[in-house]
mmCIF file with all atom_site columns, all heavy atoms in Angstrom:
data_model
loop_
_atom_site.group_PDB
_atom_site.id
_atom_site.type_symbol
_atom_site.label_atom_id
_atom_site.label_alt_id
_atom_site.label_comp_id
_atom_site.label_asym_id
_atom_site.label_entity_id
_atom_site.label_seq_id
_atom_site.pdbx_PDB_ins_code
_atom_site.Cartn_x
_atom_site.Cartn_y
_atom_site.Cartn_z
_atom_site.occupancy
_atom_site.B_iso_or_equiv
_atom_site.pdbx_formal_charge
_atom_site.auth_seq_id
_atom_site.auth_comp_id
_atom_site.auth_asym_id
_atom_site.auth_atom_id
_atom_site.pdbx_PDB_model_num
ATOM 1   N N   . ARG A 1 1  ? 13.059  -0.424  -15.050 1.00 0.00 ? 2  ARG A N   1
ATOM 2   C CA  . ARG A 1 1  ? 12.643  0.405   -13.941 1.00 0.00 ? 2  ARG A CA  1
ATOM 3   C C   . ARG A 1 1  ? 11.038  0.322   -13.772 1.00 0.00 ? 2  ARG A C   1
ATOM 4   O O   . ARG A 1 1  ? 10.436  0.200   -14.804 1.00 0.00 ? 2  ARG A O   1
ATOM 5   C CB  . ARG A 1 1  ? 12.993  1.925   -14.084 1.00 0.00 ? 2  ARG A CB  1
ATOM 6   C CG  . ARG A 1 1  ? 14.492  2.172   -14.096 1.00 0.00 ? 2  ARG A CG  1
ATOM 7   C CD  . ARG A 1 1  ? 14.840  3.644   -13.999 1.00 0.00 ? 2  ARG A CD  1
ATOM 8   N NE  . ARG A 1 1  ? 14.367  4.131   -12.769 1.00 0.00 ? 2  ARG A NE  1
ATOM 9   C CZ  . ARG A 1 1  ? 14.509  5.525   -12.473 1.00 0.00 ? 2  ARG A CZ  1
ATOM 10  N NH1 . ARG A 1 1  ? 15.151  6.317   -13.207 1.00 0.00 ? 2  ARG A NH1 1
ATOM 11  N NH2 . ARG A 1 1  ? 14.021  5.883   -11.298 1.00 0.00 ? 2  ARG A NH2 1
ATOM 12  N N   . ARG A 1 2  ? 10.647  0.343   -12.519 1.00 0.00 ? 3  ARG A N   1
ATOM 13  C CA  . ARG A 1 2  ? 9.239   0.231   -12.295 1.00 0.00 ? 3  ARG A CA  1
ATOM 14  C C   . ARG A 1 2  ? 8.506   1.403   -12.738 1.00 0.00 ? 3  ARG A C   1
ATOM 15  O O   . ARG A 1 2  ? 8.940   2.548   -12.523 1.00 0.00 ? 3  ARG A O   1
ATOM 16  C CB  . ARG A 1 2  ? 8.971   -0.112  -10.896 1.00 0.00 ? 3  ARG A CB  1
ATOM 17  C CG  . ARG A 1 2  ? 9.386   -1.576  -10.497 1.00 0.00 ? 3  ARG A CG  1
ATOM 18  C CD  . ARG A 1 2  ? 9.189   -1.834  -8.996  1.00 0.00 ? 3  ARG A CD  1
ATOM 19  N NE  . ARG A 1 2  ? 10.131  -1.087  -8.052  1.00 0.00 ? 3  ARG A NE  1
ATOM 20  C CZ  . ARG A 1 2  ? 10.081  -1.182  -6.851  1.00 0.00 ? 3  ARG A CZ  1
ATOM 21  N NH1 . ARG A 1 2  ? 9.292   -2.031  -6.215  1.00 0.00 ? 3  ARG A NH1 1
ATOM 22  N NH2 . ARG A 1 2  ? 10.965  -0.490  -6.128  1.00 0.00 ? 3  ARG A NH2 1
ATOM 23  N N   . GLU A 1 3  ? 7.225   1.252   -13.211 1.00 0.00 ? 4  GLU A N   1
ATOM 24  C CA  . GLU A 1 3  ? 6.360   2.288   -13.492 1.00 0.00 ? 4  GLU A CA  1
ATOM 25  C C   . GLU A 1 3  ? 5.797   2.990   -12.245 1.00 0.00 ? 4  GLU A C   1
ATOM 26  O O   . GLU A 1 3  ? 5.576   2.217   -11.293 1.00 0.00 ? 4  GLU A O   1
ATOM 27  C CB  . GLU A 1 3  ? 5.185   1.877   -14.419 1.00 0.00 ? 4  GLU A CB  1
ATOM 28  C CG  . GLU A 1 3  ? 5.576   1.305   -15.798 1.00 0.00 ? 4  GLU A CG  1
ATOM 29  C CD  . GLU A 1 3  ? 5.951   2.425   -16.828 1.00 0.00 ? 4  GLU A CD  1
ATOM 30  O OE1 . GLU A 1 3  ? 5.122   3.320   -16.901 1.00 0.00 ? 4  GLU A OE1 1
ATOM 31  O OE2 . GLU A 1 3  ? 6.929   2.264   -17.347 1.00 0.00 ? 4  GLU A OE2 1
ATOM 32  N N   . THR A 1 4  ? 5.590   4.186   -12.305 1.00 0.00 ? 5  THR A N   1
ATOM 33  C CA  . THR A 1 4  ? 5.010   4.977   -11.112 1.00 0.00 ? 5  THR A CA  1
ATOM 34  C C   . THR A 1 4  ? 3.726   5.763   -11.636 1.00 0.00 ? 5  THR A C   1
ATOM 35  O O   . THR A 1 4  ? 3.667   6.118   -12.681 1.00 0.00 ? 5  THR A O   1
ATOM 36  C CB  . THR A 1 4  ? 6.058   5.883   -10.511 1.00 0.00 ? 5  THR A CB  1
ATOM 37  O OG1 . THR A 1 4  ? 6.519   6.819   -11.367 1.00 0.00 ? 5  THR A OG1 1
ATOM 38  C CG2 . THR A 1 4  ? 7.229   5.066   -9.911  1.00 0.00 ? 5  THR A CG2 1
ATOM 39  N N   . ASP A 1 5  ? 3.016   6.151   -10.549 1.00 0.00 ? 6  ASP A N   1
ATOM 40  C CA  . ASP A 1 5  ? 1.769   6.937   -10.799 1.00 0.00 ? 6  ASP A CA  1
ATOM 41  C C   . ASP A 1 5  ? 1.807   7.952   -9.651  1.00 0.00 ? 6  ASP A C   1
ATOM 42  O O   . ASP A 1 5  ? 1.561   7.485   -8.490  1.00 0.00 ? 6  ASP A O   1
ATOM 43  C CB  . ASP A 1 5  ? 0.536   6.142   -10.932 1.00 0.00 ? 6  ASP A CB  1
ATOM 44  C CG  . ASP A 1 5  ? -0.659  7.077   -11.142 1.00 0.00 ? 6  ASP A CG  1
ATOM 45  O OD1 . ASP A 1 5  ? -0.531  8.082   -11.813 1.00 0.00 ? 6  ASP A OD1 1
ATOM 46  O OD2 . ASP A 1 5  ? -1.795  6.783   -10.640 1.00 0.00 ? 6  ASP A OD2 1
ATOM 47  N N   . GLN A 1 6  ? 2.033   9.148   -9.878  1.00 0.00 ? 7  GLN A N   1
ATOM 48  C CA  . GLN A 1 6  ? 2.155   10.203  -8.762  1.00 0.00 ? 7  GLN A CA  1
ATOM 49  C C   . GLN A 1 6  ? 3.073   9.754   -7.706  1.00 0.00 ? 7  GLN A C   1
ATOM 50  O O   . GLN A 1 6  ? 2.772   9.743   -6.525  1.00 0.00 ? 7  GLN A O   1
ATOM 51  C CB  . GLN A 1 6  ? 0.706   10.515  -8.261  1.00 0.00 ? 7  GLN A CB  1
ATOM 52  C CG  . GLN A 1 6  ? -0.161  11.063  -9.345  1.00 0.00 ? 7  GLN A CG  1
ATOM 53  C CD  . GLN A 1 6  ? -1.512  11.404  -8.763  1.00 0.00 ? 7  GLN A CD  1
ATOM 54  O OE1 . GLN A 1 6  ? -1.906  11.005  -7.673  1.00 0.00 ? 7  GLN A OE1 1
ATOM 55  N NE2 . GLN A 1 6  ? -2.435  11.965  -9.625  1.00 0.00 ? 7  GLN A NE2 1
ATOM 56  N N   . ASP A 1 7  ? 4.285   9.380   -8.202  1.00 0.00 ? 8  ASP A N   1
ATOM 57  C CA  . ASP A 1 7  ? 5.333   8.951   -7.142  1.00 0.00 ? 8  ASP A CA  1
ATOM 58  C C   . ASP A 1 7  ? 5.139   7.587   -6.450  1.00 0.00 ? 8  ASP A C   1
ATOM 59  O O   . ASP A 1 7  ? 5.830   7.089   -5.648  1.00 0.00 ? 8  ASP A O   1
ATOM 60  C CB  . ASP A 1 7  ? 5.705   9.992   -6.243  1.00 0.00 ? 8  ASP A CB  1
ATOM 61  C CG  . ASP A 1 7  ? 6.152   11.325  -6.763  1.00 0.00 ? 8  ASP A CG  1
ATOM 62  O OD1 . ASP A 1 7  ? 6.958   11.196  -7.818  1.00 0.00 ? 8  ASP A OD1 1
ATOM 63  O OD2 . ASP A 1 7  ? 5.898   12.351  -6.387  1.00 0.00 ? 8  ASP A OD2 1
ATOM 64  N N   . GLU A 1 8  ? 3.973   6.930   -6.770  1.00 0.00 ? 9  GLU A N   1
ATOM 65  C CA  . GLU A 1 8  ? 3.726   5.647   -6.218  1.00 0.00 ? 9  GLU A CA  1
ATOM 66  C C   . GLU A 1 8  ? 4.023   4.553   -7.183  1.00 0.00 ? 9  GLU A C   1
ATOM 67  O O   . GLU A 1 8  ? 3.604   4.625   -8.344  1.00 0.00 ? 9  GLU A O   1
ATOM 68  C CB  . GLU A 1 8  ? 2.244   5.550   -5.788  1.00 0.00 ? 9  GLU A CB  1
ATOM 69  C CG  . GLU A 1 8  ? 1.928   4.215   -5.083  1.00 0.00 ? 9  GLU A CG  1
ATOM 70  C CD  . GLU A 1 8  ? 0.477   4.241   -4.592  1.00 0.00 ? 9  GLU A CD  1
ATOM 71  O OE1 . GLU A 1 8  ? -0.211  5.237   -4.658  1.00 0.00 ? 9  GLU A OE1 1
ATOM 72  O OE2 . GLU A 1 8  ? 0.098   3.110   -4.109  1.00 0.00 ? 9  GLU A OE2 1
ATOM 73  N N   . VAL A 1 9  ? 4.825   3.559   -6.812  1.00 0.00 ? 10 VAL A N   1
ATOM 74  C CA  . VAL A 1 9  ? 5.107   2.370   -7.583  1.00 0.00 ? 10 VAL A CA  1
ATOM 75  C C   . VAL A 1 9  ? 3.879   1.698   -7.999  1.00 0.00 ? 10 VAL A C   1
ATOM 76  O O   . VAL A 1 9  ? 3.089   1.291   -7.151  1.00 0.00 ? 10 VAL A O   1
ATOM 77  C CB  . VAL A 1 9  ? 6.199   1.490   -6.905  1.00 0.00 ? 10 VAL A CB  1
ATOM 78  C CG1 . VAL A 1 9  ? 6.406   0.279   -7.765  1.00 0.00 ? 10 VAL A CG1 1
ATOM 79  C CG2 . VAL A 1 9  ? 7.529   2.288   -6.782  1.00 0.00 ? 10 VAL A CG2 1
ATOM 80  N N   . ILE A 1 10 ? 3.728   1.339   -9.270  1.00 0.00 ? 11 ILE A N   1
ATOM 81  C CA  . ILE A 1 10 ? 2.618   0.542   -9.775  1.00 0.00 ? 11 ILE A CA  1
ATOM 82  C C   . ILE A 1 10 ? 3.051   -0.888  -9.644  1.00 0.00 ? 11 ILE A C   1
ATOM 83  O O   . ILE A 1 10 ? 4.033   -1.430  -10.244 1.00 0.00 ? 11 ILE A O   1
ATOM 84  C CB  . ILE A 1 10 ? 2.254   0.907   -11.229 1.00 0.00 ? 11 ILE A CB  1
ATOM 85  C CG1 . ILE A 1 10 ? 1.789   2.399   -11.400 1.00 0.00 ? 11 ILE A CG1 1
ATOM 86  C CG2 . ILE A 1 10 ? 1.254   -0.075  -11.774 1.00 0.00 ? 11 ILE A CG2 1
ATOM 87  C CD1 . ILE A 1 10 ? 1.648   2.768   -12.781 1.00 0.00 ? 11 ILE A CD1 1
ATOM 88  N N   . SER A 1 11 ? 2.203   -1.705  -8.893  1.00 0.00 ? 12 SER A N   1
ATOM 89  C CA  . SER A 1 11 ? 2.493   -3.098  -8.763  1.00 0.00 ? 12 SER A CA  1
ATOM 90  C C   . SER A 1 11 ? 1.167   -3.822  -8.452  1.00 0.00 ? 12 SER A C   1
ATOM 91  O O   . SER A 1 11 ? 0.210   -3.126  -7.930  1.00 0.00 ? 12 SER A O   1
ATOM 92  C CB  . SER A 1 11 ? 3.488   -3.386  -7.622  1.00 0.00 ? 12 SER A CB  1
ATOM 93  O OG  . SER A 1 11 ? 2.870   -3.045  -6.304  1.00 0.00 ? 12 SER A OG  1
ATOM 94  N N   . SER A 1 12 ? 1.166   -5.120  -8.615  1.00 0.00 ? 13 SER A N   1
ATOM 95  C CA  . SER A 1 12 ? -0.001  -5.887  -8.229  1.00 0.00 ? 13 SER A CA  1
ATOM 96  C C   . SER A 1 12 ? -0.305  -5.792  -6.721  1.00 0.00 ? 13 SER A C   1
ATOM 97  O O   . SER A 1 12 ? -1.508  -5.685  -6.369  1.00 0.00 ? 13 SER A O   1
ATOM 98  C CB  . SER A 1 12 ? 0.128   -7.332  -8.669  1.00 0.00 ? 13 SER A CB  1
ATOM 99  O OG  . SER A 1 12 ? 0.344   -7.430  -10.029 1.00 0.00 ? 13 SER A OG  1
ATOM 100 N N   . SER A 1 13 ? 0.674   -5.767  -5.937  1.00 0.00 ? 14 SER A N   1
ATOM 101 C CA  . SER A 1 13 ? 0.493   -5.626  -4.531  1.00 0.00 ? 14 SER A CA  1
ATOM 102 C C   . SER A 1 13 ? -0.112  -4.358  -4.170  1.00 0.00 ? 14 SER A C   1
ATOM 103 O O   . SER A 1 13 ? -1.027  -4.287  -3.330  1.00 0.00 ? 14 SER A O   1
ATOM 104 C CB  . SER A 1 13 ? 1.875   -5.810  -3.835  1.00 0.00 ? 14 SER A CB  1
ATOM 105 O OG  . SER A 1 13 ? 2.402   -7.108  -4.040  1.00 0.00 ? 14 SER A OG  1
ATOM 106 N N   . ALA A 1 14 ? 0.326   -3.273  -4.774  1.00 0.00 ? 15 ALA A N   1
ATOM 107 C CA  . ALA A 1 14 ? -0.192  -1.922  -4.514  1.00 0.00 ? 15 ALA A CA  1
ATOM 108 C C   . ALA A 1 14 ? -1.796  -1.836  -4.948  1.00 0.00 ? 15 ALA A C   1
ATOM 109 O O   . ALA A 1 14 ? -2.598  -1.303  -4.186  1.00 0.00 ? 15 ALA A O   1
ATOM 110 C CB  . ALA A 1 14 ? 0.484   -0.776  -5.151  1.00 0.00 ? 15 ALA A CB  1
ATOM 111 N N   . ILE A 1 15 ? -2.005  -2.495  -6.076  1.00 0.00 ? 16 ILE A N   1
ATOM 112 C CA  . ILE A 1 15 ? -3.447  -2.530  -6.541  1.00 0.00 ? 16 ILE A CA  1
ATOM 113 C C   . ILE A 1 15 ? -4.363  -3.279  -5.565  1.00 0.00 ? 16 ILE A C   1
ATOM 114 O O   . ILE A 1 15 ? -5.408  -2.913  -5.188  1.00 0.00 ? 16 ILE A O   1
ATOM 115 C CB  . ILE A 1 15 ? -3.539  -2.982  -7.949  1.00 0.00 ? 16 ILE A CB  1
ATOM 116 C CG1 . ILE A 1 15 ? -2.866  -2.109  -8.937  1.00 0.00 ? 16 ILE A CG1 1
ATOM 117 C CG2 . ILE A 1 15 ? -5.045  -3.214  -8.421  1.00 0.00 ? 16 ILE A CG2 1
ATOM 118 C CD1 . ILE A 1 15 ? -2.692  -2.639  -10.333 1.00 0.00 ? 16 ILE A CD1 1
ATOM 119 N N   . ARG A 1 16 ? -3.796  -4.463  -5.141  1.00 0.00 ? 17 ARG A N   1
ATOM 120 C CA  . ARG A 1 16 ? -4.511  -5.275  -4.120  1.00 0.00 ? 17 ARG A CA  1
ATOM 121 C C   . ARG A 1 16 ? -4.780  -4.429  -2.903  1.00 0.00 ? 17 ARG A C   1
ATOM 122 O O   . ARG A 1 16 ? -5.882  -4.486  -2.343  1.00 0.00 ? 17 ARG A O   1
ATOM 123 C CB  . ARG A 1 16 ? -3.791  -6.534  -3.899  1.00 0.00 ? 17 ARG A CB  1
ATOM 124 C CG  . ARG A 1 16 ? -3.733  -7.536  -5.016  1.00 0.00 ? 17 ARG A CG  1
ATOM 125 C CD  . ARG A 1 16 ? -3.117  -8.858  -4.476  1.00 0.00 ? 17 ARG A CD  1
ATOM 126 N NE  . ARG A 1 16 ? -2.652  -9.635  -5.613  1.00 0.00 ? 17 ARG A NE  1
ATOM 127 C CZ  . ARG A 1 16 ? -1.417  -9.818  -5.901  1.00 0.00 ? 17 ARG A CZ  1
ATOM 128 N NH1 . ARG A 1 16 ? -0.397  -9.266  -5.282  1.00 0.00 ? 17 ARG A NH1 1
ATOM 129 N NH2 . ARG A 1 16 ? -1.163  -10.542 -7.080  1.00 0.00 ? 17 ARG A NH2 1
ATOM 130 N N   . LYS A 1 17 ? -3.757  -3.806  -2.371  1.00 0.00 ? 18 LYS A N   1
ATOM 131 C CA  . LYS A 1 17 ? -3.815  -3.041  -1.187  1.00 0.00 ? 18 LYS A CA  1
ATOM 132 C C   . LYS A 1 17 ? -4.912  -1.898  -1.353  1.00 0.00 ? 18 LYS A C   1
ATOM 133 O O   . LYS A 1 17 ? -5.752  -1.773  -0.444  1.00 0.00 ? 18 LYS A O   1
ATOM 134 C CB  . LYS A 1 17 ? -2.474  -2.436  -0.816  1.00 0.00 ? 18 LYS A CB  1
ATOM 135 C CG  . LYS A 1 17 ? -2.561  -1.775  0.517   1.00 0.00 ? 18 LYS A CG  1
ATOM 136 C CD  . LYS A 1 17 ? -1.121  -1.326  0.883   1.00 0.00 ? 18 LYS A CD  1
ATOM 137 C CE  . LYS A 1 17 ? -1.063  -0.575  2.184   1.00 0.00 ? 18 LYS A CE  1
ATOM 138 N NZ  . LYS A 1 17 ? 0.269   -0.069  2.543   1.00 0.00 ? 18 LYS A NZ  1
ATOM 139 N N   . ALA A 1 18 ? -4.790  -1.159  -2.436  1.00 0.00 ? 19 ALA A N   1
ATOM 140 C CA  . ALA A 1 18 ? -5.739  -0.113  -2.667  1.00 0.00 ? 19 ALA A CA  1
ATOM 141 C C   . ALA A 1 18 ? -7.168  -0.524  -2.803  1.00 0.00 ? 19 ALA A C   1
ATOM 142 O O   . ALA A 1 18 ? -8.005  0.116   -2.159  1.00 0.00 ? 19 ALA A O   1
ATOM 143 C CB  . ALA A 1 18 ? -5.328  0.660   -3.956  1.00 0.00 ? 19 ALA A CB  1
ATOM 144 N N   . SER A 1 19 ? -7.343  -1.686  -3.435  1.00 0.00 ? 20 SER A N   1
ATOM 145 C CA  . SER A 1 19 ? -8.719  -2.105  -3.686  1.00 0.00 ? 20 SER A CA  1
ATOM 146 C C   . SER A 1 19 ? -9.291  -2.743  -2.374  1.00 0.00 ? 20 SER A C   1
ATOM 147 O O   . SER A 1 19 ? -10.568 -2.685  -2.203  1.00 0.00 ? 20 SER A O   1
ATOM 148 C CB  . SER A 1 19 ? -8.745  -3.092  -4.765  1.00 0.00 ? 20 SER A CB  1
ATOM 149 O OG  . SER A 1 19 ? -7.924  -4.250  -4.439  1.00 0.00 ? 20 SER A OG  1
ATOM 150 N N   . SER A 1 20 ? -8.439  -3.251  -1.470  1.00 0.00 ? 21 SER A N   1
ATOM 151 C CA  . SER A 1 20 ? -8.960  -3.822  -0.333  1.00 0.00 ? 21 SER A CA  1
ATOM 152 C C   . SER A 1 20 ? -9.605  -2.678  0.682   1.00 0.00 ? 21 SER A C   1
ATOM 153 O O   . SER A 1 20 ? -10.322 -3.032  1.482   1.00 0.00 ? 21 SER A O   1
ATOM 154 C CB  . SER A 1 20 ? -7.896  -4.553  0.463   1.00 0.00 ? 21 SER A CB  1
ATOM 155 O OG  . SER A 1 20 ? -6.911  -3.582  1.020   1.00 0.00 ? 21 SER A OG  1
ATOM 156 N N   . ARG A 1 21 ? -9.286  -1.471  0.389   1.00 0.00 ? 22 ARG A N   1
ATOM 157 C CA  . ARG A 1 21 ? -9.970  -0.342  1.229   1.00 0.00 ? 22 ARG A CA  1
ATOM 158 C C   . ARG A 1 21 ? -11.215 0.045   0.595   1.00 0.00 ? 22 ARG A C   1
ATOM 159 O O   . ARG A 1 21 ? -11.835 1.030   1.249   1.00 0.00 ? 22 ARG A O   1
ATOM 160 C CB  . ARG A 1 21 ? -8.928  0.743   1.349   1.00 0.00 ? 22 ARG A CB  1
ATOM 161 C CG  . ARG A 1 21 ? -7.567  0.403   1.958   1.00 0.00 ? 22 ARG A CG  1
ATOM 162 C CD  . ARG A 1 21 ? -6.832  1.627   2.368   1.00 0.00 ? 22 ARG A CD  1
ATOM 163 N NE  . ARG A 1 21 ? -6.365  2.358   1.195   1.00 0.00 ? 22 ARG A NE  1
ATOM 164 C CZ  . ARG A 1 21 ? -5.147  2.208   0.564   1.00 0.00 ? 22 ARG A CZ  1
ATOM 165 N NH1 . ARG A 1 21 ? -4.312  1.311   1.100   1.00 0.00 ? 22 ARG A NH1 1
ATOM 166 N NH2 . ARG A 1 21 ? -4.742  2.891   -0.545  1.00 0.00 ? 22 ARG A NH2 1
ATOM 167 N N   . LEU A 1 22 ? -11.616 -0.480  -0.459  1.00 0.00 ? 23 LEU A N   1
ATOM 168 C CA  . LEU A 1 22 ? -12.832 -0.047  -1.183  1.00 0.00 ? 23 LEU A CA  1
ATOM 169 C C   . LEU A 1 22 ? -14.011 -0.762  -0.658  1.00 0.00 ? 23 LEU A C   1
ATOM 170 O O   . LEU A 1 22 ? -13.887 -1.960  -0.292  1.00 0.00 ? 23 LEU A O   1
ATOM 171 C CB  . LEU A 1 22 ? -12.808 -0.196  -2.680  1.00 0.00 ? 23 LEU A CB  1
ATOM 172 C CG  . LEU A 1 22 ? -11.702 0.661   -3.421  1.00 0.00 ? 23 LEU A CG  1
ATOM 173 C CD1 . LEU A 1 22 ? -11.569 0.165   -4.804  1.00 0.00 ? 23 LEU A CD1 1
ATOM 174 C CD2 . LEU A 1 22 ? -12.175 2.128   -3.433  1.00 0.00 ? 23 LEU A CD2 1
ATOM 175 N N   . PRO A 1 23 ? -15.206 -0.209  -0.579  1.00 0.00 ? 24 PRO A N   1
ATOM 176 C CA  . PRO A 1 23 ? -16.386 -1.016  -0.158  1.00 0.00 ? 24 PRO A CA  1
ATOM 177 C C   . PRO A 1 23 ? -16.597 -2.072  -1.178  1.00 0.00 ? 24 PRO A C   1
ATOM 178 O O   . PRO A 1 23 ? -16.320 -2.036  -2.365  1.00 0.00 ? 24 PRO A O   1
ATOM 179 C CB  . PRO A 1 23 ? -17.549 0.095   -0.322  1.00 0.00 ? 24 PRO A CB  1
ATOM 180 C CG  . PRO A 1 23 ? -16.873 1.414   -0.192  1.00 0.00 ? 24 PRO A CG  1
ATOM 181 C CD  . PRO A 1 23 ? -15.611 1.192   -0.852  1.00 0.00 ? 24 PRO A CD  1
ATOM 182 N N   . LEU A 1 24 ? -17.035 -3.234  -0.731  1.00 0.00 ? 25 LEU A N   1
ATOM 183 C CA  . LEU A 1 24 ? -17.251 -4.467  -1.506  1.00 0.00 ? 25 LEU A CA  1
ATOM 184 C C   . LEU A 1 24 ? -18.098 -4.243  -2.651  1.00 0.00 ? 25 LEU A C   1
ATOM 185 O O   . LEU A 1 24 ? -17.838 -4.660  -3.834  1.00 0.00 ? 25 LEU A O   1
ATOM 186 C CB  . LEU A 1 24 ? -17.909 -5.532  -0.693  1.00 0.00 ? 25 LEU A CB  1
ATOM 187 C CG  . LEU A 1 24 ? -18.121 -6.853  -1.451  1.00 0.00 ? 25 LEU A CG  1
ATOM 188 C CD1 . LEU A 1 24 ? -16.759 -7.407  -1.919  1.00 0.00 ? 25 LEU A CD1 1
ATOM 189 C CD2 . LEU A 1 24 ? -18.736 -7.830  -0.530  1.00 0.00 ? 25 LEU A CD2 1
ATOM 190 N N   . ALA A 1 25 ? -19.116 -3.310  -2.605  1.00 0.00 ? 26 ALA A N   1
ATOM 191 C CA  . ALA A 1 25 ? -20.043 -2.993  -3.771  1.00 0.00 ? 26 ALA A CA  1
ATOM 192 C C   . ALA A 1 25 ? -19.240 -2.348  -4.896  1.00 0.00 ? 26 ALA A C   1
ATOM 193 O O   . ALA A 1 25 ? -19.742 -2.331  -6.002  1.00 0.00 ? 26 ALA A O   1
ATOM 194 C CB  . ALA A 1 25 ? -21.150 -2.203  -3.290  1.00 0.00 ? 26 ALA A CB  1
ATOM 195 N N   . LEU A 1 26 ? -18.163 -1.700  -4.603  1.00 0.00 ? 27 LEU A N   1
ATOM 196 C CA  . LEU A 1 26 ? -17.508 -0.932  -5.584  1.00 0.00 ? 27 LEU A CA  1
ATOM 197 C C   . LEU A 1 26 ? -16.366 -1.774  -6.244  1.00 0.00 ? 27 LEU A C   1
ATOM 198 O O   . LEU A 1 26 ? -15.757 -1.339  -7.224  1.00 0.00 ? 27 LEU A O   1
ATOM 199 C CB  . LEU A 1 26 ? -16.852 0.271   -5.025  1.00 0.00 ? 27 LEU A CB  1
ATOM 200 C CG  . LEU A 1 26 ? -17.744 1.395   -4.410  1.00 0.00 ? 27 LEU A CG  1
ATOM 201 C CD1 . LEU A 1 26 ? -16.946 2.501   -3.940  1.00 0.00 ? 27 LEU A CD1 1
ATOM 202 C CD2 . LEU A 1 26 ? -18.705 1.811   -5.474  1.00 0.00 ? 27 LEU A CD2 1
ATOM 203 N N   . THR A 1 27 ? -16.087 -2.880  -5.799  1.00 0.00 ? 28 THR A N   1
ATOM 204 C CA  . THR A 1 27 ? -14.936 -3.675  -6.273  1.00 0.00 ? 28 THR A CA  1
ATOM 205 C C   . THR A 1 27 ? -15.084 -4.313  -7.640  1.00 0.00 ? 28 THR A C   1
ATOM 206 O O   . THR A 1 27 ? -14.242 -4.848  -8.181  1.00 0.00 ? 28 THR A O   1
ATOM 207 C CB  . THR A 1 27 ? -14.428 -4.659  -5.270  1.00 0.00 ? 28 THR A CB  1
ATOM 208 O OG1 . THR A 1 27 ? -15.423 -5.634  -4.991  1.00 0.00 ? 28 THR A OG1 1
ATOM 209 C CG2 . THR A 1 27 ? -13.979 -4.028  -4.007  1.00 0.00 ? 28 THR A CG2 1
ATOM 210 N N   . ARG A 1 28 ? -16.419 -4.308  -8.153  1.00 0.00 ? 29 ARG A N   1
ATOM 211 C CA  . ARG A 1 28 ? -16.513 -5.049  -9.431  1.00 0.00 ? 29 ARG A CA  1
ATOM 212 C C   . ARG A 1 28 ? -15.986 -4.276  -10.580 1.00 0.00 ? 29 ARG A C   1
ATOM 213 O O   . ARG A 1 28 ? -15.425 -4.878  -11.524 1.00 0.00 ? 29 ARG A O   1
ATOM 214 C CB  . ARG A 1 28 ? -17.973 -5.332  -9.701  1.00 0.00 ? 29 ARG A CB  1
ATOM 215 C CG  . ARG A 1 28 ? -18.572 -6.476  -8.804  1.00 0.00 ? 29 ARG A CG  1
ATOM 216 C CD  . ARG A 1 28 ? -19.799 -6.988  -9.453  1.00 0.00 ? 29 ARG A CD  1
ATOM 217 N NE  . ARG A 1 28 ? -19.559 -7.659  -10.722 1.00 0.00 ? 29 ARG A NE  1
ATOM 218 C CZ  . ARG A 1 28 ? -19.104 -8.835  -10.877 1.00 0.00 ? 29 ARG A CZ  1
ATOM 219 N NH1 . ARG A 1 28 ? -18.762 -9.562  -9.887  1.00 0.00 ? 29 ARG A NH1 1
ATOM 220 N NH2 . ARG A 1 28 ? -18.858 -9.343  -12.167 1.00 0.00 ? 29 ARG A NH2 1
ATOM 221 N N   . SER A 1 29 ? -15.938 -2.975  -10.561 1.00 0.00 ? 30 SER A N   1
ATOM 222 C CA  . SER A 1 29 ? -15.461 -2.192  -11.673 1.00 0.00 ? 30 SER A CA  1
ATOM 223 C C   . SER A 1 29 ? -15.053 -0.812  -11.200 1.00 0.00 ? 30 SER A C   1
ATOM 224 O O   . SER A 1 29 ? -15.894 0.029   -10.878 1.00 0.00 ? 30 SER A O   1
ATOM 225 C CB  . SER A 1 29 ? -16.554 -2.031  -12.746 1.00 0.00 ? 30 SER A CB  1
ATOM 226 O OG  . SER A 1 29 ? -16.014 -1.263  -13.926 1.00 0.00 ? 30 SER A OG  1
ATOM 227 N N   . VAL A 1 30 ? -13.688 -0.717  -10.987 1.00 0.00 ? 31 VAL A N   1
ATOM 228 C CA  . VAL A 1 30 ? -13.160 0.481   -10.287 1.00 0.00 ? 31 VAL A CA  1
ATOM 229 C C   . VAL A 1 30 ? -12.238 1.254   -11.193 1.00 0.00 ? 31 VAL A C   1
ATOM 230 O O   . VAL A 1 30 ? -11.344 0.622   -11.888 1.00 0.00 ? 31 VAL A O   1
ATOM 231 C CB  . VAL A 1 30 ? -12.377 0.008   -9.061  1.00 0.00 ? 31 VAL A CB  1
ATOM 232 C CG1 . VAL A 1 30 ? -11.812 1.260   -8.356  1.00 0.00 ? 31 VAL A CG1 1
ATOM 233 C CG2 . VAL A 1 30 ? -13.242 -0.873  -8.200  1.00 0.00 ? 31 VAL A CG2 1
ATOM 234 N N   . PRO A 1 31 ? -12.474 2.537   -11.398 1.00 0.00 ? 32 PRO A N   1
ATOM 235 C CA  . PRO A 1 31 ? -11.548 3.303   -12.122 1.00 0.00 ? 32 PRO A CA  1
ATOM 236 C C   . PRO A 1 31 ? -10.137 3.518   -11.375 1.00 0.00 ? 32 PRO A C   1
ATOM 237 O O   . PRO A 1 31 ? -10.199 3.951   -10.265 1.00 0.00 ? 32 PRO A O   1
ATOM 238 C CB  . PRO A 1 31 ? -12.226 4.742   -12.342 1.00 0.00 ? 32 PRO A CB  1
ATOM 239 C CG  . PRO A 1 31 ? -13.177 4.739   -11.140 1.00 0.00 ? 32 PRO A CG  1
ATOM 240 C CD  . PRO A 1 31 ? -13.575 3.336   -10.748 1.00 0.00 ? 32 PRO A CD  1
#
């Protein structure tokens, strides 16, 4: 079963999507 975080499935696609909304200056090291 897939891992979730606050009911959101954790996946590489989800991480890419979330990070694409961040300002470029913040994408080098993001909590």
Side-chain angles (χ1 to χ4, degrees):
R2 293 191 64 178
R3 290 180 289 183
E4 295 283 312
T5 60
D6 181 33
Q7 298 180 353
D8 297 325
E9 182 177 355
V10 172
I11 297 174
S12 69
S13 296
S14 297
I16 295 173
R17 293 187 196 106
K18 183 178 180 180
S20 63
S21 69
R22 297 193 295 265
L23 294 168
L25 181 61
L27 297 179
T28 60
R29 287 202 60 83
S30 184
V31 182

